[in-house]
Amino acid sequence: MTRELVLDTETTGLDYENDHRIVEIGIIELENHLPTGSYFHSYLNPERDSDMRAQEVHGLTREFLNDKPKFSEIADKFMDYIADSKIIIHNASFDIGFINAEL
């Protein structure tokens, strides 16, 4: 069996170097290219507002995200879920840049 994970994030803006943060992370698990039903999903409190254009894309308001966990609170669970897996990401440099900045 080959385990693959398909990962996507939503963020407060386009540039983690300007303190933009992840507001949502989602992963679905595939085995032999077929969904298994296993997934990882979390909304995250970025502790900041989203840029207007980013919020238009994801629709997640600061009010909705205020009571969600911070990335640091889900980081271990996230890392355990992705450990030793092939990860498929549409815009990998974008998502990996944000994940690395959060870690």
Side-chain angles (χ1 to χ4, degrees):
M1 294 275 204
T2 300
R3 182 178 194 239
E4 299 170 316
L5 302 176
V6 181
L7 180 148
D8 190 32
T9 64
E10 297 297 339
T11 64
T12 60
L14 297 176
D15 188 0
Y16 62 85
E17 292 180 347
N18 286 321
D19 298 322
H20 286 284
R21 308 285 303 275
I22 297 173
V23 295
E24 183 178 20
I25 190 162
I27 306 169
I28 61 167
E29 179 186 66
L30 307 175
E31 281 189 6
N32 297 324
H33 309 295
L34 298 173
T36 66
S38 177
Y39 66 92
F40 179 94
H41 177 262
S42 186
Y43 293 111
L44 300 165
N45 180 351
E47 301 179 284
R48 62 160 291 155
D49 290 326
S50 290
D51 285 353
M52 182 64 78
R53 293 200 55 181
Q55 189 169 324
E56 288 172 1
V57 170
H58 56 62
L60 302 172
T61 64
R62 186 165 190 172
E63 293 75 28
F64 174 78
L65 297 169
N66 272 341
D67 66 345
K68 306 305 184 261
K70 295 171 185 69
F71 188 91
S72 62
E73 297 173 60
I74 61 102
D76 288 342
K77 186 176 175 183
F78 167 74
M79 293 301 291
D80 288 344
Y81 191 81
I82 67 170
D84 300 324
S85 299
K86 180 178 180 181
I87 301 173
I88 301 165
I89 306 171
H90 171 68
N91 189 0
S93 61
F94 180 84
D95 290 329
I96 294 299
F98 272 90
I99 290 168
N100 285 338
E102 294 282 1
L103 291 171

